[in-house]
Amino acid sequence: MATSEGGRPRPTVRERLQQAAFELFDEQGYDGTTVDAIAERAGVGRTTFFRAFRSKEEVIFPHHDDLLEQVRGRLDAASERHSLVAVFEASRLVLRHYLNEGELAQRRYDLTRSVPSLREREIAGMQQYQRAFREYIRTWMGDELRAELMAGSVITAHNVVLRRWLRGLAEDPVAEFDAAMTKVVELFGDRREGSGGSGGATVVVVARAGDDPSSVAGAVEAALRNDLAHRAP
């Protein structure tokens, strides 16, 4: 990887194009910015732009397709016994992606609030995530209405926490997300009766090597809260 004189990694062509695009959006608005202007600001040609992005709009949402595939992959990899954990982890994966984007996520949020066409694209993207969760949950639960309701709740929980973070209202968005998803689990999680030494149920969460420890901890907490909620008088 190429580095600058200070030892930091040099920005890739895609990163330079993104930086140039957002600078121009701030200066002259989204509609007033052309692909040619973005390429020129980034010091590359028009052809190079289209090698990196299919359109000006894609500069705003550069990782959507890849992230959606990661969500589907996490869901598809789960066994039926661990479906609830898979839904929890897949939705958490999306939140962590935006948190890791940092300033870029904030600038996108500001832009989509002021440009209707980008807001429509953002909504269409959210619908794709919701469809992925709905199809998975329907296969798991065998109940179309329950799947629709749960998938909508997962997306709503994610969006509420993400918006709070983008507005500077969430000091610990991951913890807030875990709490929000716990409520979703309490509403829709499977109730499985069991027996234990004290007459309660045994709650099992299976973790795989390489899983994010905080994600595993959140899944455990959600499972335990779900069990307690169902056993409460």
Side-chain angles (χ1 to χ4, degrees):
M1 179 183 294
T3 58
S4 64
E5 292 181 2
R8 298 178 180 175
R10 290 180 180 174
T12 65
V13 171
R14 282 174 62 90
E15 290 170 341
R16 285 162 51 198
L17 285 165
Q18 277 187 292
Q19 180 64 32
F22 277 97
E23 287 176 358
L24 289 168
F25 297 154
D26 288 342
E27 294 170 12
Q28 54 196 41
Y30 177 78
D31 292 330
T33 299
T34 65
V35 166
D36 288 335
I38 295 171
E40 181 179 357
R41 175 68 67 91
V44 300
R46 178 183 177 88
T47 300
T48 299
F49 176 94
F50 284 110
R51 287 198 190 105
F53 300 104
R54 289 171 293 186
S55 65
K56 181 176 72 170
E57 191 177 67
E58 191 177 336
V59 177
I60 314 300
F61 307 97
H63 303 296
H64 172 73
D65 290 344
D66 290 341
L67 190 56
L68 184 59
E69 285 306 306
Q70 289 179 46
V71 167
R72 287 172 175 158
R74 177 64 188 93
L75 295 174
D76 290 343
S79 66
E80 184 176 354
R81 288 183 60 195
H82 307 138
S83 296
L84 191 59
V85 174
V87 170
F88 189 103
E89 291 183 347
S91 54
R92 210 168 194 264
L93 183 155
V94 179
L95 178 73
R96 282 197 171 276
H97 170 82
Y98 287 115
L99 297 181
N100 289 338
E101 281 189 322
E103 183 185 358
L104 177 60
Q106 180 65 61
R107 297 177 80 174
R108 181 190 301 113
Y109 176 66
D110 293 340
L111 196 60
T112 54
R113 284 192 300 170
S114 61
V115 181
S117 63
L118 293 180
R119 178 58 181 160
E120 290 172 5
R121 165 67 184 269
E122 186 176 54
I123 291 172
M126 286 189 292
Q127 290 173 338
Q128 287 182 299
Y129 286 118
Q130 184 165 336
R131 187 179 306 118
F133 282 108
R134 182 179 68 240
E135 291 173 353
Y136 174 76
I137 296 167
R138 183 175 55 196
T139 300
W140 159 33
M141 291 186 170
D143 184 328
E144 186 169 355
L145 177 59
R146 191 176 178 84
E148 189 75 57
L149 292 171
M150 184 173 181
S153 297
V154 168
I155 297 302
T156 299
H158 171 274
N159 289 345
V160 167
V161 174
L162 179 61
R163 283 196 297 267
R164 280 181 49 77
W165 174 70
L166 290 168
R167 294 169 182 166
L169 301 175
E171 294 183 6
D172 189 344
V174 174
E176 286 196 15
F177 176 78
D178 288 347
M181 282 300 295
T182 295
K183 294 184 182 297
V184 174
V185 169
E186 290 171 356
L187 289 171
F188 298 101
D190 267 352
R191 179 178 181 177
R192 288 188 171 87
E193 301 297 340
S195 59
S198 60
T202 299
V203 177
V204 178
V205 174
V206 177
R208 299 171 299 173
D211 279 352
D212 180 354
S214 59
S215 178
V216 174
V220 171
E221 179 184 358
L224 290 172
R225 285 180 180 274
N226 182 47
D227 177 67
L228 289 172
H230 283 125
R231 288 193 285 120

